[in-house]
Amino acid sequence: MDVSLIPQVIANGLMMGMSYVLIASGLTIVLGITRIINFAHGEFYMLGAFCAYYFFQMAGVPYLVTILLAILAVGVLGMGVERVLFRPIREFFLPSVVVALGLAFFLAGTAAWLFGPEEKVVTSPFPGVLNALGATFSVERLVVILIAIVIMGGLWYLITRTKLGRALRGVAQDREAASLQGISVNGMCNISMGIGCGLAGAAGVLLGPIFIVHPYLGALAIFKALIVIILGGIGSMPGAVLGGLLLGFIESFGLTYLGGVTDVLLFAFIFVLILFRPGGLMGRVWVIRH
Amino acid sequence: MLLELKEIKVHYDGLEAVKGISMNVAEGEIVAVLGANGAGKSTILRAIVGLKAPTSGEIWFKGERIDRVAAQSIIRKGIALVPEGRKLFPHMSVHENLQIGAYARKDKDIAKDIEEMYEHFPILRERRSLDAESLSGGEQQMAAIARALMAKPDLLLLDEPTLGLSPLVRAEIPKIVRDINQKRGVSILLVEQNARLALRLASRAYVLETGTISLEGDTETLLSDERIKRVYLAG
Amino acid sequence: MSRRELAKWVGLPLLALLFLAAPFIFNDPYYQHLLILICTWSILALGFLLILSVGQFTIGHAGFMAIGAYASALLTTKVGVSFWFALPLAAVIAAIFGAVMGWVMLRARMGAFLLLTLCFAEVVRLTIVYWPSLLGGRAGFPNIPRPDAIFGMAFDSKFPYYYLILFLLAVMVFVIYRMDRSKFGLTFKSIAQNPPLAQSVGVHLMRYKILAFTVACFFAGAAGSFYAHYLTFLSPEYFTVWKSLIVQMYAIIGGIGFMIAGPIAGAAFLVVLPELLRATETFSFILYGAVFILVIFFIPGGLLSLPQQVGVWRQALRRRAKIPGGIRPWQYLRPGS
Ligand SMILES: Nc1ncnc2c1ncn2[C@@H]1O[C@H](COP(=O)(O)OP(=O)(O)O)[C@@H](O)[C@H]1O
Ligand SMILES: [Mg+2]
C-alpha cells in the first residue's frame, strides 16, 4: 500500500463523490416527489455535458454562464417532459418505468442523431495544477468540488428554509395533506422535475471537461446515481449526499488499492444493506420523504 | 346557509358509500355527524374538500357551488379539514407544520398567528422543533387543529378528533372546539363516533347509517330519543 | 363453432404450424438468426411476466441467464460434459440460484425487490468481469463448442438451433399454461392484484412466489445455455441490467394481460421492427423510445389489446365522450405491495 498516494486519492474521491451527489440528488428529488424512477435522468446529465460542448467549447460562452444556461435549458426541458409524459402516468408504477425508459432511449438516440455519435472533447476551463501536501491536484477538479458544494448549499437552503421547499417536502411526505393546505401537487411535481433536471444539467457541464462527452453517457450516470440513492436511502437528500460521497471514496480508494473487486464487493454490500435496512444507510432520517 | 349539501352520492369503484344525503351548516354553528365505523362520515368530509368527487348532487359554500373545485383550492374558499388520523407532515417540525398551514395565505401576519397558536396551545411551543411524528396522539391532534386554523378558515371540518386519545386528553377536546367556535367565530362540522361528546358540543346533529341519514335534529331532541340512547349512548 | 372454439381448434394449430414452418418461410440465415433471437428473448420475457404475475418486478433477469450460460460453457469446456447434459444442468443450477435468491429477496417489497435483483445481476456480471482466469473476464469466453449432433441432425446451419430453442420455448409455454390453468393461475392473479386479500384467504404467498421465481430462472438458465452454444462465445456485456430491462419491455409492450402470447408477440415485434425499417443503431434507439412511450399512452394494455382498445375508442366516439384511458391491466400493481 502506497501511502503517498492518499492525498491524491482523497481529492479524487471528493471530486467523484461531489459529482455523484449532484447527479443523485436530482434523481432523488424527482423520485421523492413524483415517485417516478426517472430512468432518463442520465440523459439530462448527458444534455448538460453537450451544453458544455456547444456553449462553452464552440460558442465561447464563459464557464459560469454556461452552467447557468445548462441549468435553465435542461431544467425547462425536464419540466416540459414532466407535464407531457410523466403527469398522466404518475400514479402507476409499471407505465412510469416504461415511459421513463422510453424517454431515455429516445433522448440518447436523438442526441446521437443530432450531435453525432462520436466522442467530443471539452478543453479544461481551469488548466494547471496545484502542488500541496506532496501531491498534485488539478485546479479544475478543485473548482468542480467548490461549485458542487455551492450548488448543494443553495439546494439545501431552498429545500429546508423556503416556502417552496416546505411545499415540496409536504407533497413528498403526504400528497393529500399537502393539497388540503392549498399546495398544488401537479405544480410541485413539475418544479421538482425542473430542479432535478437542472441539477443533472449542471453536473453535465461540470464533468463534461473532465470526462469525454458523447450521447450514450447517460446509461452509466443513471446507474451510478441509482447506486448512490440506494446506499443513502431512496428519496432522502442527506442520504444522496452521504451515498454520493461514500461511493466516490469507495471507488477512489478501492480502485487504487484493491482493484476491480471493489465493484463486486460494493454490490454485494448494497445487496445486504437493502435486505437488512431497506431505508438505506440514513435509515429513517429523511428530508424529502419518508 | 354557510355550507349546504344537496342529495350527495359518492361511489368507490361502483360501491355506493354515501347514498344521497343532504345536510347544512349555518354561520357560527357547531354541527355534529354521528355514525358507526364505515357509515360514510369521512367520505362526506372528503367530498366537501374535493378529495373525492361526488358522483351526483351539489355542494354549496357561501353561495358558491364547490363540488367540482379541486382539493388544493378549497382552503382558499375558507374550508379547512383536520383529517382522520391527523395527517401531519411526519418529518417536518411542529413549527413547519404550522407554517405550511398558512401556505395559501398572502398576508404578512403569519409569524404573529403562529405565536398566537403557541399561546393557545403551550405544549406546541415546547415541541416546536420536534418532528411531528414524534409527538403523542393528543399533541398531534392539537398541532393538526392549529395547522388548520393557520389558514384562517370560516368553516372547520373535524374528523374524529378524539380517536385514539387517552381519556384524559380526550376531555380537553370539547373545550378547544368550543373556544374555536366562540372566540374565532369559526363554524364547525364535527364528525364523531363518540356521540355523548359530540352531542354536548353541537347545536344540531345528523345520524348516519350506512350512507344515509337516519335521524337529524336539535341535540336536545336527539339526546332524549330512545334509539339514540340505546345505540349510541349506552354504557 | 363458437369463436373461442374456432380459435382453439383452428387458430392454435395454424399458429403452431407457422412457428414450425418459419425457418422455411424465411429461408435466409439472417432472418433465421432473428427468429432464434425472438424465441430466446421470449423465454426471458415470459419469465419476467411470470414473476410479475406474483406481484414482483425484477430488473435482473439477465443475471440468471448469465449463470446458465457460463455454467454451461464451463461444463462443456472445463469438465468435458456433452452439451445435452450441460443444458439441463445449467438450467438446474440457475433454478437453484433462483430458489435461494428468491427465498432471500422475495420477502422485500416491490421497490426493494427491484433493487435487489439489480444488485444480484450486477454481482454476477462483475464476477465474470473480474475473474478472467476462469470466466474470461471482459475479453469474453471463447471457443464454446457447438452442440453435438442429435437424431442425425448436425448443428451446422440455423435450422437445428431454431428448433432447439423453439422446443425450449414450447416447454416453457406448456409449463406456464399448466400453472395458469391449475389452481395456481387464480392464485397468481390474486397475489398480484391484492396481496393482503390473497394472504387473508390463506394463500401461502411465499411458496407461490418462490415457485414462480424458480421456474422463471430455470428457463432463463436453459436459454442462457442455448445462447452460449449458439454464439460459441460469451461476454459479460450480453447480460447487463439494460439487457434485462429491454427484455422486460418486450413483455410489457406485448401486453402483460396476455400471460403467454404477450411476451412472444412483444419480442417478435420489437426484434423485427428495426429490421423492417432498416434502422441504424441510432435510429433504433429513437424508435424503441418512441414505441415504449406511444404504446403506454395509446395502447396501455399492450399490442395484443389493440382490438379491445379499438373497441373502446369506437364506443367513446359514438358517445362523443372523452377518449378514456382504455385497458390498463397494470393499474392494480403498486410498488408498495
Ligand atoms: N378508498 C376507499 N376505497 C373503497 N372503499 C372505501 C374507501 N374509503 C372508504 N370506503 C368505504 O366507504 C364506506 C364509508 O367509509 P368511511 O367514509 O371511511 O366511513 P367512516 O368515516 O364513517 O368510518 C365504508 O364501507 C368503506 O369501506
Ligand atoms: Mg372515518
Side-chain angles (χ1 to χ4, degrees):
Chain A
M1 190 165 153
D2 187 352
V3 184
S4 68
L5 286 176
I6 285 185
Q8 193 84 55
V9 171
I10 289 181
N12 259 342
L14 198 58
M15 200 278 301
M16 291 307 297
M18 280 316 289
S19 39
Y20 291 150
V21 168
L22 275 187
I23 303 175
S25 56
L27 185 68
T28 221
I29 284 180
V30 173
L31 180 59
I33 291 165
T34 69
R35 319 233 168 128
I36 289 176
I37 304 175
N38 182 11
F39 282 101
H41 192 73
E43 272 60 37
F44 290 101
Y45 161 77
M46 175 269 294
L47 290 177
F50 272 97
C51 285
Y53 179 71
Y54 283 106
F55 296 155
F56 173 71
Q57 182 77 14
M58 305 301 281
V61 178
Y63 187 65
L64 290 177
V65 180
T66 303
I67 295 179
L68 293 179
L69 272 177
I71 292 178
L72 207 68
V74 181
V76 168
L77 179 69
M79 290 170 92
V81 161
E82 192 279 336
R83 177 70 192 82
V84 178
L85 294 182
F86 286 178
R87 188 176 299 178
I89 41 102
R90 195 169 62 208
E91 304 301 326
F92 304 106
F93 173 71
L94 198 64
S96 73
V97 172
V98 182
V99 168
L101 205 62
L103 180 67
F105 277 70
F106 187 82
L107 289 178
T110 309
W113 177 52
L114 288 178
F115 309 141
E118 67 277 0
E119 298 178 341
K120 301 197 162 46
V121 178
V122 179
T123 46
S124 170
F126 304 98
V129 290
L130 198 84
N131 285 307
L133 303 168
T136 9
F137 305 100
S138 91
V139 177
E140 177 186 33
R141 295 187 172 213
L142 296 179
V143 172
V144 165
I145 295 172
L146 209 69
I147 296 179
I149 290 175
V150 170
I151 293 178
M152 288 309 296
L155 184 67
W156 175 82
Y157 182 83
L158 174 80
I159 298 250
T160 60
R161 292 287 183 272
T162 67
K163 188 173 172 182
L164 175 64
R166 262 198 304 279
L168 286 167
R169 278 181 293 146
V171 171
Q173 290 176 16
D174 190 330
R175 279 192 191 170
E176 272 189 13
S179 63
L180 285 175
Q181 314 310 318
I183 299 167
S184 158
V185 175
N186 281 338
M188 290 308 137
C189 287
N190 199 247
I191 290 172
S192 75
M193 189 74 174
I195 296 174
C197 293
L199 285 168
V205 179
L206 289 178
L207 301 185
I210 295 180
F211 305 111
I212 288 163
V213 179
H214 64 93
Y216 299 117
L217 213 56
L220 189 65
I222 175 74
F223 198 64
K224 295 277 179 178
L226 273 175
I227 297 169
V228 167
I229 64 173
I230 298 169
L231 265 177
I234 291 158
S236 158
M237 282 295 296
V241 174
L242 178 74
L245 289 175
L246 197 63
L247 182 65
F249 282 116
I250 289 176
E251 285 189 350
S252 176
F253 273 92
L255 291 178
T256 310
Y257 294 114
L258 280 176
V261 195
T262 319
D263 284 348
V264 186
L265 294 178
L266 176 66
F267 277 99
F269 169 70
I270 297 175
F271 188 94
V272 177
L273 179 73
I274 303 171
L275 271 185
F276 293 102
R277 285 190 73 144
L281 285 177
M282 291 298 278
R284 291 175 46 73
V285 191
W286 308 89
V287 162
I288 285 288
R289 146 151 190 244
H290 175 65
Chain B
M1 276 300 151
L2 186 67
L3 176 79
E4 200 162 6
L5 276 65
K6 296 178 183 169
E7 290 296 319
I8 286 293
K9 287 184 184 166
V10 186
H11 289 80
Y12 288 108
D13 294 326
L15 206 98
E16 198 171 36
V18 172
K19 302 169 179 167
I21 63 154
S22 304
M23 58 170 64
N24 55 55
V25 180
E27 201 114 11
E29 209 180 8
I30 300 183
V31 175
V33 177
L34 309 176
N37 224 341
K41 307 182 297 294
S42 299
T43 304
I44 293 174
L45 296 189
R46 292 171 65 81
I48 296 172
V49 297
L51 285 176
K52 177 82 192 146
T55 22
S56 69
E58 294 175 8
I59 303 175
W60 292 78
F61 183 69
K62 291 197 218 160
E64 188 185 351
R65 196 167 160 186
I66 59 162
D67 50 80
R68 287 289 174 269
V69 174
Q72 75 200 42
S73 310
I74 284 292
I75 197 138
R76 297 190 176 83
K77 308 259 177 225
I79 304 179
L81 169 69
V82 179
E84 190 172 345
R86 274 88 67 173
K87 296 289 169 61
L88 289 168
F89 298 105
H91 309 289
M92 284 191 212
S93 68
V94 171
H95 194 76
E96 283 185 305
N97 267 284
L98 297 188
Q99 285 178 313
I100 210 170
Y103 181 82
R105 281 170 54 182
K106 293 273 177 285
D107 55 87
K108 296 266 176 282
D109 298 336
I110 293 168
K112 204 184 91 221
D113 286 346
I114 292 181
E115 232 4 80
E116 198 213 316
M117 285 302 152
Y118 287 152
E119 297 295 314
H120 211 94
F121 303 106
I123 188 73
L124 294 184
R125 193 200 298 276
E126 277 173 45
R127 304 277 186 264
R128 55 177 287 165
S129 51
L130 291 183
D131 270 9
E133 67 167 359
S134 63
L135 301 191
S136 73
E139 291 162 355
Q140 282 191 10
Q141 191 62 57
M142 286 175 208
I145 293 174
R147 180 181 69 178
L149 290 177
M150 283 302 297
K152 297 215 158 168
D154 302 311
L155 174 67
L156 185 67
L157 312 178
L158 292 167
D159 196 348
E160 308 213 24
T162 62
L163 193 71
L165 302 190
S166 68
L168 215 65
V169 184
R170 193 185 302 159
E172 291 184 36
I173 297 288
K175 181 179 171 308
I176 293 171
V177 172
R178 200 171 287 124
D179 266 9
I180 293 169
N181 178 248
Q182 285 167 2
K183 297 208 179 120
R184 293 169 192 272
V186 177
S187 314
I188 289 171
L189 182 60
L190 170 70
V191 158
E192 260 303 333
Q193 282 191 55
N194 184 337
R196 202 183 297 276
L197 179 144
L199 290 176
R200 217 158 4 106
L201 270 170
S203 56
R204 286 188 305 121
Y206 296 88
V207 179
L208 208 62
E209 268 169 31
T210 56
T212 48
I213 292 176
S214 61
L215 268 178
E216 61 176 285
D218 295 336
T219 38
E220 283 90 58
T221 331
L222 287 178
L223 274 170
S224 56
D225 186 283
E226 274 310 309
R227 275 185 54 211
I228 293 282
K229 273 189 190 159
R230 206 172 55 239
V231 179
Y232 294 98
L233 299 178
Chain C
M1 238 192 282
S2 76
R3 229 163 123 175
R4 229 192 132 77
E5 282 173 343
L6 200 73
K8 190 169 170 188
W9 296 110
V10 181
L12 275 183
L14 269 182
L15 206 62
L17 204 66
L18 182 71
F19 270 101
L20 284 171
F24 292 97
I25 302 171
F26 304 102
N27 200 343
D28 172 288
Y30 186 63
Y31 291 153
Q32 289 166 346
H33 173 67
L34 293 183
L35 287 171
I36 290 169
L37 287 187
I38 290 172
C39 292
T40 313
W41 299 138
S42 291
I43 289 179
L44 276 142
L46 278 168
F48 162 75
L49 189 50
L50 187 61
I51 295 168
L52 190 67
S53 73
V54 292
Q56 291 287 18
F57 192 98
T58 160
I59 59 173
H61 211 41
F64 292 96
M65 185 184 184
I67 290 176
Y70 277 85
S72 188
L74 283 176
L75 283 167
T76 47
T77 58
K78 302 267 152 80
V79 187
V81 179
S82 153
F83 166 76
W84 300 104
F85 287 107
L87 182 130
L89 221 57
V92 169
I93 291 171
I96 291 172
F97 268 95
V100 174
M101 293 324 289
W103 188 80
V104 175
M105 301 194 292
L106 283 163
R107 275 146 231 283
R109 299 196 317 167
M110 197 197 251
F113 178 81
L114 182 152
L115 304 173
L116 285 171
T117 55
L118 179 148
C119 288
F120 177 75
E122 275 303 289
V123 169
V124 170
R125 190 182 69 85
L126 290 167
T127 306
I128 298 166
V129 169
Y130 293 116
W131 198 347
S133 56
L134 184 70
L135 301 170
R138 242 184 255 286
F141 196 125
N143 303 326
I144 302 168
R146 289 156 177 265
D148 314 317
I150 190 169
F151 308 130
M153 212 166 43
F155 280 73
D156 49 8
S157 74
K158 303 279 181 198
F159 283 95
Y161 284 108
Y162 174 74
Y163 287 113
L164 175 57
I165 192 69
L166 186 64
F167 172 73
L168 289 178
L169 177 61
V171 173
M172 185 176 194
V173 165
F174 179 72
V175 169
I176 293 181
Y177 177 79
R178 288 307 298 264
M179 285 167 81
D180 205 33
R181 270 307 156 98
S182 67
K183 68 179 198 305
F184 284 96
L186 271 180
T187 313
F188 281 148
K189 286 188 190 89
S190 63
I191 292 175
Q193 294 178 1
N194 196 342
L197 182 70
Q199 187 98 62
S200 71
V201 299
V203 173
H204 291 284
L205 283 184
M206 202 39 67
R207 256 190 6 220
Y208 285 92
K209 286 186 172 188
I210 293 176
L211 180 73
F213 197 73
T214 309
V215 169
C217 291
F218 178 88
F219 283 100
S225 164
F226 168 85
Y227 200 56
H229 298 270
Y230 171 60
L231 299 179
T232 67
F233 176 81
L234 286 176
S235 156
E237 290 317 298
Y238 299 164
F239 306 104
T240 59
V241 169
W242 299 103
K243 189 58 148 229
S244 301
L245 275 168
I246 292 180
V247 166
Q248 289 147 20
M249 292 306 119
Y250 296 164
I252 299 170
I253 297 305
I256 61 168
F258 305 86
M259 188 68 189
I260 289 166
I264 301 176
F269 178 76
L270 285 172
V271 169
V272 169
L273 186 67
E275 306 294 333
L276 272 182
L277 300 176
R278 306 198 177 285
T280 59
E281 199 201 357
T282 302
F283 188 55
S284 301
F285 267 86
I286 303 178
L287 194 66
Y288 269 30
V291 168
F292 293 174
I293 294 171
L294 291 176
V295 166
I296 287 299
F297 274 82
F298 296 103
I299 327 172
L303 292 173
L304 289 183
S305 75
L306 186 61
Q308 288 157 274
Q309 185 70 45
V310 170
V312 172
W313 287 331
R314 288 231 307 257
Q315 234 179 17
L317 278 180
R318 208 173 307 137
R319 281 193 269 113
R320 292 174 199 283
K322 197 169 147 257
I323 302 234
I327 305 127
R328 307 197 289 185
W330 29 258
Q331 63 186 324
Y332 299 106
L333 289 164
R334 293 288 151 77
S337 64

